[in-house]
Amino acid sequence: MGGQAMTVEEMMASKPDGLPRALRALWHDAHGDWNAAHEVAQVEEFGDCAWVHAYLHRKEGDEGNAGYWYGRAGKSVFRGSLEEEWRFIAESLLALRIG
C-alpha cells in the first residue's frame, strides 16, 4: 500500500481492460463510445456503477432515469457541467484505488 492514486490523465492513456468496471465505463464515455460505457455500467445496479450510470443518463438528457440511478448510488444529482461531473466521478473513484 502507500502508493499514489492513478491520475485521470494516466487512466485515459491506459487500456480499459485493467480498470474496475465503473472507471472502464467512464473511459469508454470519454473516448466517445456512450453505448459501450452504458453496457459496462449497467451490469452492476449499485455503488460506483450506479453513479456512472446516473451520469450517463444525465448526459443522454434522460433526467428521470438519471435521478433513479443517482438514488441507487446514494448520490445527489450533480449540478455542474457534464465535464465537471465526469472528472469529479473519475477523481473520486481513482482516489479509492491507492495501493
Side-chain angles (χ1 to χ4, degrees):
M1 315 283 164
Q4 286 187 305
M6 177 186 282
T7 66
V8 169
E9 292 72 27
E10 290 168 336
M11 180 192 93
M12 293 304 298
S14 71
K15 295 188 188 283
D17 298 341
L19 296 171
R21 190 176 309 280
L23 286 170
R24 193 173 340 137
L26 288 175
W27 187 97
H28 283 295
D29 178 63
H31 284 87
D33 194 343
W34 186 95
N35 288 324
H38 187 251
E39 274 187 39
V40 171
Q42 71 180 353
V43 170
E44 293 178 19
E45 298 184 1
F46 51 87
D48 298 340
C49 283
W51 192 13
V52 174
H53 200 165
Y55 155 79
L56 290 168
H57 282 294
R58 180 173 173 249
K59 182 175 184 176
E60 180 187 37
D62 187 348
E63 297 294 327
N65 206 357
Y68 170 81
W69 288 105
Y70 283 114
R72 290 291 305 241
K75 304 289 183 184
S76 298
V77 175
F78 196 86
R79 297 296 176 203
S81 71
L82 290 168
E83 294 79 14
E84 290 168 333
E85 182 174 18
W86 186 97
R87 182 165 281 276
F88 179 75
I89 296 170
E91 288 175 346
S92 297
L93 297 179
L94 287 167
L96 299 174
R97 294 191 70 229
I98 297 173

